[in-house]
Amino acid sequence: MNDVVIVNCTVTDARAGGAQSAKASAKASAGAPKSAEGRIADAAVWIRDDRIAAVGPREQVLERVGEAPRLDLDGAYVTPGLVNMHTHLSLSLPGQGGDSVKNMTAHELVLYMADGARRTLHCGVTTVRCVAEKEHADFALRRAIESGRATGPRIFTAGQALVCTGGHGHEASDTMECDGVDGFRRGVRTQVKAGADLIKIMISGGIAGEHESIDTPQLFSDEMAAALQTAHAWGRKVTAHAGPAAVIAEAVELGLDCVEHGYQLTPEVAKRMAERGTALVPTLLVTRCKEFFDELGVPQWMQCRSLGAGPRHLESYAMALDAGVDVLLGSDMPPFWDFEGTNASVRELECMSEGGLGPAGALYAGTLGPVRWLGADADLGTVEVGKYADLIAMDADPLADTSAFRGVRWVMKGGRVVRDDRSGWEKQ
Ligand SMILES: [Zn+2]
C-alpha cells in the first residue's frame, strides 16, 4: 500500500457554504452534511493508494497515520479537482484552425486529443464530460488514460452527438446524422454500443452552423422522445444543445436531463427546468470569446452571431439562477485553452460567479454539482473519506474569490501528483 499525508493546508469543498450548494444538497440527498463540514483549517489529508483514507484537523489525522511520508503544501487551499461538463477535445470550428483538426488522420487526431487531455489535467480539471468527439477517438483516449498509457482527466463521454440530417454540427465526424424515430433510437444504441456514458442531441440550431440560426428547431417531438426513451431505458442521461425557449420547454417536458447553452431561456421555462431537475451548462464563454475566434480564423458571420447573442445569453443565465436551476461548469472552448490570462475552464467559472452565482455557488458548479449529475458522487466531488484523491491546490481562498483558481499550482489525480510548480514544473 502506498500512503502519503498532505499537511499544511486548508481543505475546502462545496459543502462549506453558499445558498446554491445548501439548496442543491438538500434536494439531491436528504441528510447531506451541514455547512460546518467541507472547511477545515490546518488540515491533513491521508491518501492511501488512489483514495482518501482520512481527512480532518492535522493532529487528529497524524495520530492515526504513523510513518507515512508528509507532503507539505505551504498553507495552500485544497479543493476537489474541477469538472468541466462541456468539453470537445477534437473541436473544429469553421475557419482555418478548425480545418486543420478536421483534416487530421485518425492517428493524428487521437494524439492531438491526448495532448489536450494532458493539458486539461494540468489546469486542475480532473474530470471532463465530452459532448461530441470525432470518430469515437474519445473511447480510445479514455482506455489509454484509464490504463495509464496516457495522461488526462477522467472522461465521461457522449461519443458522437446525434443530429438530424444537415443539423447543428453535421459538417464534422463528431456527430451522427439520424432522422425519424428509428434513426434516433439507432443513434442512441450506436453510441451506447461504443461505450457512451450519456447521450447528446442537437435540438436547435446554434452559433457554428452557417445555414441555420440559433432559434431553428431541428428535431420533431417524436424524434426527441425516441432518443430520450431509448437512452433512459439503457440508463443513460441525455443532454441537449439548445437555444430557444420553446424548443427547450418541449424537451424538458419529455424528460431532458440537461440543457447546453440555453441562449434564450424565459423565466417560465427556467422555472420548469428547476421543477423537473433539468440542469443547465450555460457555456457563457461561447458568446464572449472574440480573441479565441480570431486565433482560429473563425469567419465573420459566426463571430457576429456569437457576440450578438451575448447579452441575451447572460440574461438567460440570470433567469436560470433566479429560478433555482442547477447550473454546472462547462467551457465549450477546449478546457485548457489560454484565455484572458487563465485557462478556459477557470475563465468560465469566473463568468458564472460574476454573473450572479458567487464563489460558493461556483465551487459547487465546478465540483460537486457536476459529479452528482454524472452519478459519480460516491467517488468524486468532495474531499471525503473513500473518494478518489483528485485534488488541487492554490494560494488564495476560492470561497472568497473564484479567481483563486487562476493560481492552481499543484494537481493530484488518483493519489498521484501530476503537477507541482515548486519542483520547477513548467507548463508545456
Ligand atoms: Zn459544444
Side-chain angles (χ1 to χ4, degrees), residues 86-88 91 131-132 168 200 202 241 260-261 283 286 331-333:
H86 192 125
T87 299
H88 308 281
L91 182 71
V131 286
H168 182 71
K200 165 95 176 283
M202 308 292 209
H241 163 100
E260 306 300 307
H261 317 303
T283 70
V286 303
S331 60
D332 212 351
M333 281 174 64

Side-chain angles (χ1 to χ4, degrees), residues 285-304:
L285 288 188
V286 303
T287 54
R288 57 209 76 245
C289 60
K290 180 164 174 30
E291 192 185 296
F292 169 64
F293 288 154
D294 286 343
E295 224 176 301
L296 295 183
V298 165
Q300 271 315 307
W301 63 261
M302 177 172 156
Q303 294 218 21
C304 289

Side-chain angles (χ1 to χ4, degrees), residues 35-120:
S35 60
E37 294 187 55
R39 177 83 167 189
I40 308 162
D42 194 10
V45 188
W46 173 16
I47 292 146
R48 169 158 280 184
D49 298 327
D50 56 355
R51 293 192 187 249
I52 297 166
V55 54
R58 183 166 51 101
E59 296 306 324
Q60 279 178 26
V61 173
L62 292 184
E63 244 170 50
R64 297 177 46 199
V65 177
E67 284 312 296
R70 311 280 195 261
L71 207 159
D72 190 311
L73 281 180
D74 299 321
Y77 289 84
V78 170
T79 72
L82 294 174
V83 183
N84 190 321
M85 294 287 273
H86 192 125
T87 299
H88 308 281
L89 292 168
S90 55
L91 182 71
S92 60
L93 295 175
Q96 81 263 8
D99 288 346
S100 74
V101 176
K102 234 189 246 182
N103 293 333
M104 285 177 181
T105 66
H107 308 302
E108 288 170 325
L109 179 70
V110 79
L111 287 167
Y112 174 79
M113 291 170 69
D115 177 63
R118 180 179 52 84
R119 291 171 191 272
T120 298

Side-chain angles (χ1 to χ4, degrees), residues 11 13-15 32-33 37-38 40 45-46 51-56 80 368 372 377-391:
V11 167
D13 67 30
R15 295 168 300 152
E37 294 187 55
I40 308 162
V45 188
W46 173 16
R51 293 192 187 249
I52 297 166
V55 54
L368 185 54
R372 281 185 172 153
D377 47 327
D379 289 320
L380 303 168
T382 55
V383 188
E384 282 183 279
V385 173
K387 295 201 179 186
Y388 285 121
D390 288 6
L391 304 171

